[in-house]
Amino acid sequence: MGPVTLSEILSMARPGVAIAAFNFTNLEDLRGIMAAAELEQAPVIIQTTETTVKHSGLEYLAAMGRAAARVAGVPVCLHLDHATDFNLVVRAIRLGYSSVMIDGSRLPFEENVAVTAEAVRVAHAVGVSVEAELGQVGGKEDCACSTCCSTDGELHLVDVDEAVEFVRRTNIDALAPAVGTMHGIYKAPPCIRFDLIEEVHRATGLPLVLHGGSGLPRAIVREAIVRGVRKFNVATDLQAAYVAAWRKALASSGGSIDSRRAGAHAMEAVCEAAREKIRMCMGEER
Ligand code: 13P
């Protein structure tokens, strides 16, 4: 089976359950993620950011993502994460992404509405889903350094009335509201506005997306999901697991230059980390 849309996969999440969305950057972390989804028998969203596209090339990423969806025994959505470039959205759709996020959150409200509505028009015409962001999730997505992505800067949280108007005027399929989470490594425990999650979910009727899922304790994740989050984004924790396993494997390699040996350990570490997140999403204690 090919990739399913975001709307289709999110409709598989009953109340109290979210679908895990994992960023991948290469074949090894993708295979680790897919192994986790298969072992947990859970639908999964695999996604790539603009930075990853610059690094790996959209054609390669699309081909890997489509292959993953084709061979998987679970439903898979192939999603473009945080695209600020409209042309990239169009290219991703042409290459078989089944869902895109157009991120106009740094634009003035009217411009965010305009670019998002245009992305929806193009995407829906060919049966592709669209996610958009309102307010600004802090930090920098897809950057696992300990400086720029752990900003203490001011957060611009979502406004409920604006969210209602935004959804009405854009016809998006899922909304990522800024509710206090940040991408990357948290310097201090985040203050998540669960009340905003619940209000925005109730007022818009849309499945919500929680960005900045790495480092969040289980209790926070569960509360967010119970209040209306249906897509739970994780990138940094998987990268951290990948790199730590690579480093460890290299250190004990006795000078071997077989990159597949270290890669196999990295894949396994990503699989374990992803399994833990999937269980959180499903409300399982294990
Ligand atoms: P983290 O890197 O904090 O897990 O955030 C991932 C994310 O939200 C991708 O859009």
Side-chain angles (χ1 to χ4, degrees), residues 188-263:
C191 175
I192 313 286
R193 289 284 306 275
F194 298 113
D195 58 323
L196 269 184
I197 296 177
E198 194 166 333
E199 274 186 64
V200 172
H201 180 54
R202 190 174 333 108
T204 63
L206 276 190
L208 301 185
V209 183
L210 194 69
H211 283 249
S214 293
L216 293 180
R218 186 179 188 283
I220 286 187
V221 177
R222 290 303 312 150
E223 184 71 19
I225 292 171
V226 166
R227 304 272 192 133
V229 166
R230 293 288 172 271
K231 174 174 182 269
F232 179 62
N233 280 14
V234 179
T236 304
D237 277 349
L238 297 198
Q239 279 206 20
Y242 182 99
V243 171
W246 248 99
R247 282 196 179 126
K248 198 168 160 211
L250 281 188
S252 64
S253 70
S256 162
I257 57 155
D258 186 347
S259 63
R260 289 164 301 189
R261 183 180 171 278

Side-chain angles (χ1 to χ4, degrees), residues 48-163:
T48 57
T49 60
E50 279 181 349
T51 318
T52 300
V53 168
K54 278 192 196 109
H55 174 74
S56 302
L58 189 64
E59 285 80 358
Y60 287 97
L61 294 167
M64 284 195 288
R66 289 200 319 266
R70 204 163 47 242
V71 301
V74 292
V76 178
C77 170
L78 176 59
H79 177 78
L80 183 67
D81 191 27
H82 286 289
T84 53
D85 175 0
F86 184 80
N87 292 327
L88 180 61
V89 165
V90 174
R91 282 177 60 216
I93 292 172
R94 285 209 177 111
L95 287 169
Y97 277 66
S98 55
S99 176
V100 291
M101 175 185 188
I102 179 79
D103 184 357
S105 63
R106 285 177 175 78
L107 301 171
F109 180 75
E110 285 299 325
E111 287 177 41
N112 190 1
V113 169
V115 73
T116 303
E118 186 56 9
V120 169
R121 192 183 64 76
V122 168
H124 282 187
V126 288
V128 167
S129 303
V130 179
E131 171 189 336
E133 177 170 322
L134 257 194
Q136 274 177 31
V137 176
K140 179 170 175 3
E141 63 274 2
D142 204 11
C143 173
C145 72
S146 56
T147 49
C148 74
C149 59
S150 50
T151 52
D152 294 321
E154 199 185 326
L155 293 173
H156 301 283
L157 300 184
V158 68
D159 175 273
V160 180
D161 293 335
E162 265 190 5

